Amino acid sequence: MGNDDLVETAVRTGRVKEAAAHAAAMRESSMAGLSPRLEMLVVACEALTTPGEAGAALFERAPSLPDPERWPFDVARVRLFYGERLRRLRAMAEAREQLTQALEAFQRLGATWVTRAAVELRAGGRSAPAAARPRAVALTAQELQIATLAATGLTNKQIAERMLLSHRTIGTHLYQIYPKPGITSRAALRDALSGLDLHAEED
């Protein structure tokens, strides 16, 4: 998991102070001077941890750094984060522009982030292209229950107590669940559940 993944995951799970501390450490290090890509990621992490329009301004700056075309996936992620921020600021037209660019890039790259971009774009009032619309993903009844509880923010231990299982069993199930909707972390579960056509299959 990269530094930007750590910051984004911390922000999305409500650990804002930890995210801000990590972004500050990145900024104070020599990381940004090593390459334009790393500079873009440092600025993007600052943007993720900076609220409101100040953060939006940092998001706007990040993809304009030198040679963005060399890192299309990273640029697409920044545009996705920027679009999410703009949508929450109610700047819908600008949000849709960023989200559309992100979605198109993810489609070209064959990245599973297409789903998240499509969900955000739909929330911003624009239908995603048919190719990016939610696909059917089958989970067992138990997997669906675990995923739903995890998406609410419950820890593995809390889920285990509710389901009378061990927390290690819950962790194993989550590890097996993530690839099915094409995600890699717990932080993405909520969007995956809302953005995919999920249904339970027979155990």
Side-chain angles (χ1 to χ4, degrees):
M1 182 179 285
N3 290 299
D4 52 324
D5 295 305
L6 289 172
V7 172
E8 191 221 346
T9 300
V11 168
R12 292 176 69 80
T13 54
R15 293 173 292 158
V16 179
K17 288 184 179 179
E18 291 92 332
H22 197 75
M26 291 170 64
R27 182 179 63 248
E28 291 162 9
S29 72
S30 58
M31 181 177 172
L34 297 176
S35 76
R37 174 180 178 268
L38 291 177
E39 183 180 6
M40 177 177 66
L41 295 181
V42 169
V43 174
C45 287
E46 281 191 84
L48 280 166
T49 57
T50 302
E53 294 183 1
L58 287 169
F59 276 127
E60 184 173 8
R61 177 186 160 208
S64 66
L65 293 169
D67 301 324
E69 66 280 354
R70 292 178 59 189
W71 302 284
F73 177 73
D74 294 310
V75 171
R77 281 188 66 185
V78 172
R79 292 196 184 283
L80 173 60
F81 299 154
Y82 185 21
E84 290 174 340
R85 175 66 60 85
L86 288 168
R87 188 173 71 77
R88 285 153 181 77
L89 291 172
R90 313 304 298 171
M92 293 304 189
E94 294 89 342
R96 287 192 291 267
E97 179 182 353
Q98 294 297 323
L99 293 169
T100 297
Q101 290 185 57
L103 175 62
E104 290 173 349
F106 290 139
Q107 286 179 306
R108 287 194 299 272
L109 295 166
T112 57
W113 284 65
V114 162
T115 297
R116 179 167 161 186
V119 169
E120 282 292 328
L121 193 57
R122 188 169 64 248
R126 176 176 294 174
S127 296
R133 287 176 190 160
R135 65 187 187 281
V137 173
L139 301 178
T140 67
Q142 188 176 61
E143 286 175 338
L144 186 55
Q145 185 179 3
I146 291 170
T148 301
L149 291 172
T152 68
L154 294 181
T155 65
N156 288 4
K157 183 178 180 181
Q158 290 169 326
I159 297 170
E161 289 172 352
R162 290 195 180 199
M163 298 185 66
L164 303 179
L165 298 168
S166 75
H167 72 275
R168 290 187 178 85
T169 298
I170 299 300
T172 298
H173 276 297
L174 286 171
Y175 183 78
Q176 294 170 342
I177 288 167
Y178 293 157
K180 292 188 177 183
I183 61 175
T184 59
S185 71
R186 191 189 200 96
L189 263 177
R190 185 180 62 183
D191 287 342
L193 290 176
S194 63
L196 294 172
D197 177 16
L198 290 167
H199 63 278
E201 60 182 15
E202 294 296 327
D203 287 306

